Amino acid sequence: MKRTEIADGYDNEFYNQPEAPKALQILEALEQAGVTHMVALADNWTVRLHELIASGKSSIKLVHTCREGENVPIAAGLLTAGKKPVLMMQNSGFHESLDSVRFGIEFGLPLVTLIGYRGWGNGSPNIRGRFTEPTLRAWDIPYEILDDAKKISAIGRALELAERRQGPTALLFPGIGGRPATKDENSSAILAKQARMDYLESLRCLASHRTDQLVITHETADRVWPLISKQEELDVVGLGLMSKAGSLGLGIAMAHPDRKVWVLDGDGSLAMNLGCLATEADVRPRNLVHFVIQNFEYEITAKQAFPMADGIDFAAIARACGIPRAFTFDDIGELKRGLPEVLSGDDLTFVSLKVKPAGKQAGPHRQLMPEGLKYLRTLLAGT
Ligand SMILES: Cc1ncc(C[n+]2csc(CCOP(=O)(O)OP(=O)(O)O)c2C)c(N)n1
């Protein structure tokens, strides 16, 4: 099957439009209202505000999280102790974290969530946008859409309304504009010090040992692996599945024990779903190799750091979860020498590859998840 590049328009880029509300404007409105903390998980839509607060120049303290479900309870703790937090996340994360939103409603917490409105606008093929407003209405959460910098007063209204109703309100941002952080300002730049391999070269090394493994890629690997893969028909691009590539791989490996499955996960994604390692160990499929491509940042969004991005020893976590074989490589020579032995083991295996960000090595996205999965279902049904 020939993969084609994904057509433009899958995601809007409203944050680049002049009418998009600016990060500085929003920050000033939040500071004036006495907000003390921003509990956030970064994404492209809201990144400029995230970066501005992360730079430490604001009185608002940034608490960045690994998983959006953490945000409401952290904010609840801050609120209980007399602080005034707000939340920020992408609509994907808001959908994912709904049970903690239920908690906020049940306990009458006046919390405002700034939501990156991915898939906003009529006709966007990105399905996320279709669910966001109906979900907010179903949960009886009042919201306004800030699709124009002139609507900035909505921030004050949302904060007041949350207090009055002692419950959640939301602000939807199709994008937040402003100057993007320079590399030096970006907190992830300081992570670049560790010994690391070249991204493309390390994946090339994996590709040279591939026979007929089914490969599920994720995040930046979605855009690098297709450049070197010689068996595109056995590749699935995990686009739109943030943090769950390991879980998808586990399901396939269980259903097809005779087929080797490789997952090429992102480190921010794995940090969001660490529990998948215990689940894998519990099932212990002998045919699954879970790689994490550890580039120490959310590269595919805007190179942000995530909590402890430079300090997580994923192989140690995998081992502690009960995965019998766990390895780390940060040197290409060692990877070349060690990989045959790693891949020859007949048991569940985890491998962390410490790499430099792919940067310009990354190509375009070549496939959407539904297309890849549909093809794979046909392929696997016949085996
Ligand atoms: C539930 C959810 N939260 C947030 C996002 C936004 N988002 C998409 S990719 C990504 C970062 C992925 O980082 P990582 O797994 O480290 O991959 P890399 O690009 O660095 O390889 C984020 C935060 C999302 N798509 N879904």
Side-chain angles (χ1 to χ4, degrees), residues 6 10-12 43 45 68 89-96 115-121 123-136 172 218-219 222 238-244 272 300-301 365 368-370:
I6 289 178
Y10 175 70
D11 278 324
N12 59 59
D43 79 320
W45 276 250
E68 289 87 352
M89 60 188 79
Q90 189 183 97
N91 50 356
S92 323
F94 179 74
H95 301 154
E96 168 101 18
I115 299 176
Y117 199 168
R118 196 169 175 193
W120 164 77
S124 166
N126 191 327
I127 193 170
R128 288 169 178 81
R130 254 188 263 162
F131 300 129
T132 303
E133 291 183 60
T135 303
L136 287 163
L172 299 180
H218 202 30
E219 308 303 2
D222 289 343
L239 179 63
L241 193 72
M242 184 172 179
S243 80
K244 297 155 201 100
M272 188 181 269
I300 207 156
T301 48
H365 268 117
L368 284 173
M369 180 99 223

Side-chain angles (χ1 to χ4, degrees), residues 42 68 92 219-220 242 266-269 295 297-301:
E68 289 87 352
S92 323
E219 308 303 2
T220 295
M242 184 172 179
D267 51 355
S269 294
N295 57 359
E297 61 187 30
Y298 287 161
E299 179 167 7
I300 207 156
T301 48

Side-chain angles (χ1 to χ4, degrees), residues 273-293:
N273 185 16
L274 282 172
C276 77
L277 297 175
T279 312
E280 286 168 18
D282 198 43
V283 177
R284 201 162 165 173
R286 293 178 172 281
N287 52 331
L288 178 64
V289 185
H290 189 160
F291 293 91
V292 61
I293 316 298

Side-chain angles (χ1 to χ4, degrees), residues 30-31 33-40 53 59-63 70-88 109-114 155 158-160 162-163 167-169 171:
L30 294 171
E31 284 174 344
V35 169
T36 58
H37 293 77
M38 164 77 80
V39 189
I53 303 180
S59 58
I60 298 179
K61 191 169 163 34
L62 179 71
V63 185
E70 295 180 77
N71 295 23
V72 168
I74 292 173
L78 287 164
L79 202 67
T80 308
K83 302 295 182 194
K84 189 167 182 181
V86 292
L87 314 171
M88 187 162 72
L109 305 177
L111 289 175
V112 179
T113 305
L114 283 66
I155 294 177
L159 285 157
E160 276 166 29
E163 281 298 337
T169 60
L171 294 163

Side-chain angles (χ1 to χ4, degrees), residues 15-44:
Y15 40 85
N16 286 329
Q17 303 304 315
E19 64 269 39
K22 301 282 178 293
L24 200 55
Q25 261 187 306
I26 300 168
L27 184 63
E28 281 167 4
L30 294 171
E31 284 174 344
Q32 270 166 23
V35 169
T36 58
H37 293 77
M38 164 77 80
V39 189
L41 195 141
D43 79 320
N44 282 9

